[in-house]
């Protein structure tokens, strides 16, 4: 397993709540569901994400779509 993959697995398994909290601490004006969805965005290739139910993944997609529709998106470079 590549180190990069291991790091993302570790983040998904141990730090998703910490990531969510850090995002909320940076900008607290969004619905609470937005932060967990944003936290998972960089971890979609992990085993932890693949083990989420399809219903949960679908709710993430819905929340992310609403977030993007209602907010100006700044693309990463």
């Amino acid at each position: 397993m590549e180190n990069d993959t291991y790091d993302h697995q570790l983040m998904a398994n141990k730090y998703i709540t910490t990531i969510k909290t850090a995002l909320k601490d940076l900008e607290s004006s969004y619905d609470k569901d937005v932060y967990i969805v944003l936290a998972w965005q960089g971890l979609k290739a992990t085993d932890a994400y693949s083990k989420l139910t399809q219903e949960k993944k679908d709710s993430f997609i819905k929340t992310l779509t609403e977030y993007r529709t209602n907010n100006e998106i700044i693309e990463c470079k």
Side-chain angles (χ1 to χ4, degrees):
M1 180 181 305
E2 290 182 30
N3 194 30
D4 183 45
T5 303
Y6 174 79
D7 291 347
H8 282 81
Q9 294 294 347
L10 178 67
M11 290 167 60
N13 291 325
K14 301 285 185 183
Y15 298 108
I16 198 73
T17 301
T18 303
I19 296 167
K20 176 192 78 164
T21 301
L23 290 169
K24 187 172 183 180
D25 287 348
L26 289 171
E27 173 59 63
S28 63
S29 64
Y30 301 111
D31 181 80
K32 65 179 178 62
D33 294 336
V34 169
Y35 302 104
I36 194 72
V37 170
L38 293 175
W40 276 108
Q41 287 308 293
L43 303 172
K44 290 169 127 180
T46 63
D47 292 336
Y49 186 86
S50 69
K51 290 178 183 175
L52 295 174
T53 66
Q54 189 59 49
E55 181 179 0
K56 179 61 96 176
K57 292 175 193 174
D58 290 345
S59 77
F60 285 179
I61 292 167
K62 181 177 183 255
T63 299
L64 185 62
T65 301
E66 290 171 0
Y67 169 79
R68 287 181 171 161
T69 300
N70 297 323
N71 296 282
E72 180 180 344
I73 304 302
I74 300 170
E75 296 293 328
C76 294
K77 294 181 181 183

